[in-house]
Amino acid sequence: MKKLIYAIYALLFNISAKLFKVKKNRVAFVSMHNESFNDSLGEVRRALEEKGGFEFVFITRKDLEVKLKNVPRALSFFFVKSRKLATSGYVFLNDNFLPMSGCHFRKETTVVQLWHAEGVFKKFGLSIEQPDEVRKNEIESNKRLSFVICSSKNVVPFYAEAFGISDDRALPLGSARTDWFFKEENLEAAKEHFFERYPALQGKKLVLYAPTFRDDPEQNEKILEHFDAKKLSNLLGDEYAVLLRLHPQIRPKETGLDGAVDVTQYQDVRELVAVCDALITDYSSICMDFSLLDKKTVFFAFDLEEYRKDRDFYFDYADYVPGSVTTSIEETAKAIAAPFDREKNEKFKQFNFDYCDSFSAKRIAERIVFNHRN
Amino acid sequence: MPKVSVIIPAYNSEQFIGETLDCLVRQTLDDIEAVIINDGSTDSTQSIIDSYSDKYPWIKSYYQENAGVSAARNNGLTKATGKYVVFLDADDTYSDTSLEAFYKAGEAHDADIVLGRLATFGDGIKGEYSKVADRLAEKDEIDPFDIDLIWKFLVGNKCYNRERLVASGVEFPLFRYCEEGAFFMSYVYSGVKKLCGTMDACMFYRRHTKKQGLSVSQTVNIGLVRSFTDSLNMIYDGAKKALEKAPDSVDKETYLQEIVYKHTHILIMQFYRLMWHGDDECAEFCSKEFKRLRALMTPERYNKFKNAENDLHLDTIAQSKEEAAQKPNATFIIKNTDECEKILATVYEQYCPLFEVIIPKSAAGKIPPEYLAMQNLVVLDDKGFLKNAKKKARSRNRVVLRKPKTLDVRVIRLLYKLGLPAKLKTAFYPLLFRLMNFVLVKKIIK
């Protein structure tokens, strides 16, 4: 079914691409993750808006939802947005967009993958083993990419491998998503929003628990069995508050939340990063943000061996991560209270980030759009 | 030490200096400084600068009695403290990543000079990238004797390692024209080791709207053409000396020919062709200088140039305005008294100076006296004007202009070059003239 939908989409796209000329000032943003564009796409859009004179096209997951009330939107996606995408001068993506595999862009169109994560941690893209069909589709989609943006020179070869492109097309211009963290006004606003909603947490040290989503539902259930929030809270004492952010697909049982504040529904995860003092995670790339901001992360990896079988890492896990690795709640509590290992964090940060500033979206806009080369 | 110092000479720049400083505020590189030298401005330039330096302590300004752009840049160089230094004019701008790109390329290659892109804007142009600058900016390593360097003298798209530049002792010569080229090439010839390019830096060079009519005369005069010649001679002599030590892989003869060619090209295209906007001395100087350069050129090079500019009859180049007026390629007959001045303004914009103008006596009192002093302007009695004018015209290619209209500056030149038999051309000249003008003005051909 999906294959058929993609094929129809590609057909409509290709007809438009043949018939119509590219509009250099039309810029498409394709976001299969979220609709709020509070990520790299949004930052690049802002950089373009500052200059002015662009027309934007937005494509989100909602456009592809198969629901009855969604019919008009889906029709527009197929018949209007396919043409707009085909005639865009620039297309920015933040994830794989599989319908693209059959789409043949005109050569004047620049297609840029911004990706939704920074640095390297878990293997991703073509670096992981996949079923043949998926892989073939991904390779075909990646052929449409003019450039992939990454966050440092060191990670260029990894991004080149993950997207099956040459090194010179993986541009280390920095992550536009992290620009947000370096604008003072955002941090102020984040604090304001957060404490307005959780006034009781004011003055406490905030520890965020954000585990990674596992593909296997059984494994997902285990996460909350292992994470005893109440115990952790007790061990840490009154000075601390534990926040919990689960993957939207993990339904927490009421009991699992005891002792922690559930912030799963909190809209902008960047605000949580901004207000929290420390992170507990296992394999989530959110640790990149904490490292970038010189904040502590404790890696509570009770199922490391099992996870590794499923999704390997680029480097030795314990050696590479910017914090201590724990397997029990007691260890985790101790690690949270211990002093920050600045050296280990710095090494990780230096490797993954060339820029600690708010200008990456500008760099991308300048390099790709304003300072265009033929 | 700041990473990059931006030296900005400012003379009566109130109109644009805000834009220039804004582009520095937006730079992605941290730790930069702006060194503004107010070259005796008499407008509000200083108060605009002050409003910026109050807000941004890294924007510093110094005042000097008016001494010209070269003196201001040299002055700025003594005040700058950055590891690298760039020179930006007070009406130009950089793309937001330029200073970061210059700095990174400089550090990565330990470069003496980094070259970026260059785009022209203003006067209806949005941003036209220079192909020559792009060819250089693309390179990781640029040969000091790369011929492209000769063709892009503008100072703004180049970044220098400050300490090495200062140690070389090279300064901006106090010429009024092309001082940027003399400075840049002198430094290149002084033995710089490493030049590299970066495509992520771009200087936007503002083109100012050209004024119509004789008011452009400030751009063509004996002082400027002398300055230009001094500059190019300085470059030629410097090149000759530097080439003695250059490796054998450099084709020395071709390199020197390129400098002579550029010299000739600008002399003819920017000065000689605009002789009616300049003084008598300027035309005479151009002609004399051209003959000297002709002797330096290889016959092949000369013939190629001569044929490309055949409407000027360069073998027998007119030595003065007087002489140029004697052998026009075309004669304009202006049959209009009240709007004669307007028509004259468009006619004297012609890019080929070899033309003649005939006007009726009744118009002579209504036009600025400068026109009457033109050696190629003839005044005839109103009685039987048209008939008389056609008879007296020095060229058989005659066009009667009855009312003001837009004339493309290339019409006479291109008509001369048009590959039609001369007799046919003469017979249909008025028609061809209108057709050619229409095609050019409507931009049907470029």
Side-chain angles (χ1 to χ4, degrees):
Chain A
M1 178 66 180
K2 250 189 184 168
K3 257 173 95 178
L4 181 70
I5 292 176
Y6 292 175
I8 295 172
Y9 185 76
L11 179 72
L12 291 168
F13 178 97
N14 290 334
I15 292 172
S16 291
K18 281 268 179 313
L19 286 181
F20 302 107
K21 271 191 177 164
V22 161
K23 279 184 78 177
K24 269 273 114 144
N25 67 337
R26 182 176 283 164
V27 183
F29 295 97
V30 182
S31 175
M32 289 295 113
H33 268 200
N34 65 35
E35 295 81 44
S36 53
F37 289 96
N38 55 9
D39 55 6
S40 289
L41 294 172
E43 295 292 332
V44 169
R45 171 195 172 176
R46 198 188 327 257
L48 297 179
E49 264 170 354
E50 247 170 53
K51 193 82 135 196
F54 293 97
E55 175 203 327
F56 300 127
V57 181
F58 301 102
I59 294 173
T60 69
R61 192 177 46 195
K62 282 217 171 111
D63 288 310
L64 275 170
E65 265 170 10
V66 192
K67 271 187 202 155
L68 197 60
K69 67 166 192 203
N70 201 30
V71 167
R73 194 167 178 155
L75 284 177
S76 143
F77 173 67
F78 277 92
F79 292 99
V80 179
K81 283 193 178 170
S82 68
R83 177 175 56 80
K84 289 209 166 166
L85 187 64
T87 52
S88 289
Y90 302 90
V91 177
F92 290 96
L93 311 155
N94 66 358
D95 201 349
N96 293 321
F97 179 53
L98 294 177
M100 208 169 77
S101 60
C103 298
H104 294 279
F105 283 95
R106 293 180 73 105
K107 64 175 191 313
E108 307 93 281
T109 300
T110 309
V111 184
V112 183
Q113 175 63 264
L114 298 173
W115 203 233
H116 50 275
E118 293 78 37
V120 289
F121 187 25
K122 283 176 294 195
K123 288 193 176 173
F124 68 103
L126 300 175
S127 304
I128 50 178
E129 284 177 34
Q130 301 155 300
D132 275 356
E133 179 119 2
V134 176
R135 196 176 177 81
K136 237 172 82 185
N137 203 334
E138 210 172 300
I139 290 174
E140 203 50 44
S141 280
N142 287 343
K143 279 190 191 157
R144 314 287 164 250
L145 299 177
S146 318
F147 300 107
V148 174
I149 309 297
C150 58
S151 59
S152 75
K153 269 194 227 64
N154 297 322
V155 303
V156 162
F158 300 92
Y159 277 70
E161 183 194 271
F163 291 99
I165 55 167
S166 57
D167 279 13
D168 63 327
R169 290 197 291 137
L171 307 176
L173 298 172
S175 159
R177 198 182 67 87
T178 59
D179 285 358
W180 188 90
F181 294 118
F182 296 96
K183 292 177 187 159
E184 205 51 54
E185 66 272 20
N186 289 339
L187 304 184
E188 293 295 317
K191 270 186 202 147
E192 213 168 282
H193 292 165
F194 184 83
F195 291 115
E196 206 171 287
R197 192 152 159 196
Y198 303 103
L201 298 180
Q202 205 130 24
K204 290 191 188 259
K205 287 187 180 162
L206 304 178
V207 181
L208 177 69
Y209 178 51
T212 310
F213 179 69
R214 275 78 158 166
D215 292 325
D216 180 356
E218 223 173 279
Q219 298 291 336
N220 275 328
E221 298 244 324
K222 275 193 194 159
I223 294 176
L224 285 181
E225 280 170 30
H226 278 84
F227 188 78
D228 188 338
K230 191 154 196 180
K231 190 170 173 188
L232 181 68
S233 264
N234 288 338
L235 287 168
L236 287 173
D238 257 4
E239 205 187 330
Y240 288 88
V242 178
L243 314 183
L244 184 71
R245 187 174 178 91
L246 299 168
H247 194 278
Q249 286 182 29
I250 308 176
R251 287 279 113 238
K253 294 169 193 148
E254 285 302 320
T255 50
L257 289 179
D258 217 9
V261 181
D262 184 12
V263 290
T264 304
Q265 302 300 326
Y266 199 86
Q267 209 199 359
D268 192 342
V269 69
R270 296 179 303 188
E271 294 198 348
L272 293 177
V273 176
V275 298
C276 285
D277 301 284
L279 170 75
I280 302 169
T281 187
D282 37 25
Y283 322 109
S284 167
S285 64
I286 193 176
C287 70
M288 290 286 167
D289 292 346
F290 278 78
S291 172
L292 180 65
L293 298 179
D294 299 316
K295 289 182 182 184
K296 173 187 285 186
T297 299
V298 175
F299 290 83
F300 178 50
F302 61 88
D303 61 347
L304 177 61
E305 281 321 306
E306 275 159 75
Y307 190 80
R308 208 204 304 267
K309 268 180 230 151
D310 208 44
R311 209 46 209 277
D312 204 358
F313 300 95
Y314 284 105
F315 299 104
D316 178 73
Y317 180 81
D319 195 38
Y320 179 66
V321 294
S324 39
V325 179
T326 62
T327 50
S328 71
I329 291 294
E330 288 82 0
E331 280 178 286
T332 306
K334 221 182 264 173
I336 289 287
F340 180 46
D341 187 347
R342 203 164 278 280
E343 205 174 309
K344 196 175 184 195
N345 186 62
E346 199 58 27
K347 199 175 142 202
F348 182 84
K349 180 173 146 184
Q350 292 288 340
F351 182 81
N352 287 299
F353 293 100
D354 284 351
Y355 301 100
C356 300
D357 64 25
S358 61
F359 297 130
S360 290
K362 205 181 229 184
R363 272 182 210 102
I364 294 164
E366 283 285 351
R367 169 68 178 81
I368 305 288
V369 184
F370 305 148
N371 205 357
H372 189 83
R373 303 126 208 225
N374 296 310
Chain B
M1 171 159 61
K3 289 174 182 149
V4 180
S5 301
V6 184
I7 296 173
I8 305 171
Y11 174 71
N12 289 352
S13 318
E14 61 181 9
Q15 200 182 350
F16 299 116
I17 193 164
E19 262 180 71
T20 301
L21 296 177
D22 283 340
C23 96
L24 298 183
V25 171
R26 288 198 309 267
Q27 289 298 308
T28 55
L29 185 71
D30 59 345
D31 207 3
I32 59 174
E33 71 169 352
V35 177
I36 307 167
I37 305 294
N38 181 349
D39 186 24
S41 296
T42 53
D43 64 357
S44 66
T45 297
Q46 189 61 46
S47 61
I48 296 171
I49 297 170
D50 291 342
S51 71
Y52 279 84
S53 48
D54 286 348
K55 213 165 148 199
Y56 306 100
W58 51 269
I59 296 182
K60 302 158 194 165
S61 81
Y62 304 88
Y63 182 85
Q64 69 175 33
E65 291 297 322
N66 183 264
V69 66
S70 287
R73 286 181 184 137
N74 291 335
N75 190 3
L77 194 54
T78 65
K79 305 278 197 286
T81 57
K83 171 144 192 205
Y84 294 88
V85 58
V86 292
F87 298 93
L88 183 65
D89 285 348
D91 54 351
D92 299 337
T93 61
Y94 283 128
S95 71
D96 295 354
T97 53
S98 288
L99 296 185
E100 179 180 317
F102 277 137
Y103 181 74
K104 277 191 148 180
E107 291 291 287
H109 296 103
D110 188 25
D112 301 297
I113 308 175
V114 186
L115 288 94
R117 305 184 81 185
L118 176 77
T120 308
F121 75 108
D123 197 12
I125 310 168
K126 268 193 175 162
E128 214 166 67
Y129 290 95
S130 149
K131 287 201 180 83
V132 178
D134 274 4
R135 275 206 297 272
L136 291 164
E138 261 169 3
K139 292 179 183 168
D140 272 346
E141 178 147 17
I142 300 166
D143 188 324
F145 292 102
D146 191 316
I147 291 220
D148 280 337
L149 290 177
I150 300 173
W151 289 96
K152 267 294 161 264
F153 285 165
L154 276 181
V155 77
N157 71 328
K158 299 166 180 80
C159 171
Y160 301 86
N161 179 308
R162 183 180 59 87
E163 278 174 10
R164 290 184 214 163
L165 173 63
V166 170
S168 76
V170 174
E171 286 197 328
F172 284 88
L174 303 178
F175 299 151
R176 285 173 55 206
Y177 193 71
C178 203
E179 72 291 343
E180 302 179 15
F183 164 78
F184 176 59
M185 295 316 288
S186 296
Y187 185 46
V188 169
Y189 298 145
S190 78
V192 299
K193 302 241 157 28
K194 178 83 192 180
L195 289 92
C196 70
T198 174
M199 287 291 279
D200 292 321
C202 183
M203 193 270 279
F204 292 95
Y205 176 73
R206 189 186 301 270
R207 182 184 289 176
H208 293 280
T209 310
K210 230 174 72 186
K211 291 187 196 106
Q212 286 276 312
L214 290 179
S215 53
V216 287
S217 61
Q218 300 98 311
T219 63
V220 187
N221 62 51
I222 182 69
L224 282 186
V225 72
R226 277 231 168 88
S227 230
F228 169 71
T229 297
D230 288 346
S231 257
L232 266 291
N233 286 342
M234 186 171 161
I235 291 166
Y236 184 84
D237 294 341
K240 235 174 154 178
K241 225 174 173 181
L243 284 167
E244 285 168 16
K245 289 184 230 152
D248 291 338
S249 58
V250 179
D251 184 345
K252 298 171 185 176
E253 198 40 51
T254 306
Y255 186 81
L256 286 174
Q257 279 294 311
E258 197 74 17
I259 298 176
V260 175
Y261 177 69
K262 169 156 186 177
H263 192 165
T264 314
H265 189 266
I266 305 247
L267 187 80
I268 294 298
M269 306 305 248
Q270 285 185 19
F271 292 102
Y272 188 74
R273 279 192 178 278
L274 302 177
M275 67 164 78
W276 299 111
H277 298 283
D279 37 29
D280 291 357
E281 227 184 329
C282 182
E284 282 158 34
F285 183 88
C286 282
S287 153
K288 229 185 262 160
E289 187 60 19
F290 174 76
K291 285 182 190 155
R292 184 182 74 83
L293 291 168
R294 187 163 69 186
L296 290 174
M297 281 197 205
T298 59
E300 298 81 45
R301 244 319 151 40
Y302 172 65
N303 283 330
K304 218 174 131 193
F305 183 72
K306 177 184 84 177
N307 291 334
E309 313 302 330
N310 62 355
D311 59 312
L312 294 176
H313 317 294
L314 290 171
D315 277 340
T316 53
I317 184 170
Q319 295 187 43
S320 61
K321 286 177 164 184
E322 189 70 54
E323 209 181 305
Q326 301 302 315
K327 38 181 184 182
N329 289 335
T331 296
F332 292 105
I333 299 165
I334 302 181
K335 177 92 181 74
N336 186 318
T337 300
D338 294 331
E339 291 179 299
C340 184
E341 185 185 348
K342 264 192 192 163
I343 303 175
L344 279 172
T346 62
V347 165
Y348 273 94
E349 283 292 305
Q350 282 298 307
Y351 200 39
C352 173
L354 303 183
F355 63 87
E356 177 192 37
V357 188
I358 303 178
I359 62 164
K361 201 164 193 173
S362 58
K366 298 186 176 183
I367 58 172
E370 294 96 289
Y371 284 113
L372 295 173
M374 297 289 189
Q375 291 88 335
N376 67 339
L377 185 117
V378 178
V379 183
L380 291 180
D381 266 340
D382 282 38
K383 208 175 142 204
F385 172 72
L386 214 51
K387 207 173 150 198
N388 233 339
K390 283 184 179 168
K391 211 163 80 191
K392 290 259 172 81
R394 286 204 177 89
S395 168
R396 300 199 52 210
N397 298 329
R398 294 164 303 216
V399 183
V400 181
L401 300 171
R402 292 171 200 274
K403 49 180 188 265
K405 65 169 179 177
T406 316
L407 285 190
D408 189 277
V409 299
R410 297 162 294 178
V411 186
I412 309 188
R413 172 160 187 247
L414 292 180
L415 273 182
Y416 188 86
K417 289 169 77 82
L418 193 65
L420 283 178
K423 272 193 178 161
L424 195 66
K425 230 192 271 186
T426 302
F428 293 102
Y429 201 81
L431 181 69
L432 286 171
F433 182 89
R434 284 186 162 82
L435 207 65
M436 176 70 86
N437 190 47
F438 178 80
V439 164
L440 291 173
V441 169
K442 298 280 175 208
K443 299 198 165 89
I444 295 166
I445 52 168
K446 276 206 166 173

